[in-house]
Structure formats: structure tokens, C-alpha cells
Amino acid sequence: MRRILFLLPAAVVAATIVQGLGVPVGAHHSEAPFYDSDKIVEIRGVVTSWVFRNPHPFLHVEVTDEKGAKNDWALEFVGPVRLIKVGWSAKTFVPGELVSAKGHPSRAEGTFGLSPLSVSRADGKVIPGSGRGGAFAPEAGQP
């Protein structure tokens, strides 16, 4: 009987731990240290590469500034699993394609990073899911 009284609390503790392991973790790092959410910039350029992999896909876009200098902008998106759920794939962008993007610029001086709020094709159509949260829906009238 003493053995059962000893094992019962241990079994309850073990079951609680195992159950806690099955809870999905929703937390992730903030973009605040990397991107300035107080600023919004718009860019237009040519896709040079689309890297669709964990932990974050990156779209590289060559943008010519007002002085004629070409800069490689890196657009960082949410994880590919979330993007796959809204129809994205390794073929969402192709090199040579013209795109426009609006988003929060990198905080690091001299860099060209962007946390996109939206990305549009050459015809002006916003790509669903292109916002940093992966949930932009043009039909919902979101920015």
C-alpha cells in the first residue's frame, strides 16, 4: 500500500510533464531589434533570388536608388510552414521578376533589410500572405 501511495504522485507528476510537452510553443523572437516599426519604406526592383527555407525565407531584390546605385534588399518573411498554408512555395518568386514591397526597414545603418507589410507583382496585385505575419489578405483591406 505504501508503494502505491508513493507511485501515484510520481505518476501524476510524470503525466503532467508529458502533457506539457505536447503544447505547441507560440512564442518567437521579436522583429523589433532588427526592423524599425516606426518607419515604412517602399521599394521596387528585380528579384535576384528567392530562398524558401527555415527558419525564415528571404527574397533578394535589386533596387536602383535615386542616384542610380544598385542595392540588394533582403526581405525577411515568416516561417515557410505559415507561408505554405496560404499557398506559397519555392516557386512563388522567380529571378528577373519585377516586384514592389512596402515594409519596415532594417535598423542597422548601411543595410538594406525589409520586414514586408506587403509585396506586389509588376501588375500591382498584392500577393496574399506577403505581410510579415503571413496573413495579409487584400480583400480584407489591410495595409
Side-chain angles (χ1 to χ4, degrees):
M1 184 66 153
R2 280 188 193 179
R3 188 174 184 175
I4 291 174
L5 290 176
F6 173 76
L7 290 177
L8 185 60
V12 169
V13 169
T16 302
I17 290 171
V18 169
Q19 184 179 15
L21 294 175
V23 176
V25 177
H28 194 66
H29 62 86
S30 169
E31 70 175 36
F34 309 106
Y35 301 101
D36 189 345
S37 62
D38 293 331
K39 296 179 184 173
I40 294 179
V41 298
E42 293 186 41
I43 63 168
R44 183 173 175 86
V46 178
V47 172
T48 57
S49 71
W50 169 231
V51 183
F52 192 69
R53 65 174 175 224
N54 274 324
H56 295 276
F58 280 88
L59 178 64
H60 293 272
V61 179
E62 184 179 81
V63 177
T64 304
D65 68 17
E66 62 279 347
K67 296 177 184 173
K70 293 184 178 190
N71 299 300
D72 180 39
W73 282 75
L75 285 67
E76 181 181 6
F77 294 90
V78 296
V81 172
R82 191 176 304 170
L83 293 174
I84 288 168
K85 290 179 181 180
V86 293
W88 289 43
S89 73
K91 297 179 181 182
T92 298
F93 300 100
V94 294
E97 177 180 6
L98 183 65
V99 295
S100 297
K102 179 169 63 169
H104 302 298
S106 172
R107 288 185 182 275
E109 237 178 275
T111 63
F112 300 95
L114 191 72
S115 175
L117 296 171
S118 65
V119 178
S120 305
R121 303 243 186 241
D123 64 3
K125 279 188 150 186
V126 175
I127 303 167
S130 61
R132 184 73 168 102
F136 177 82
E139 59 278 3
Q142 297 174 356

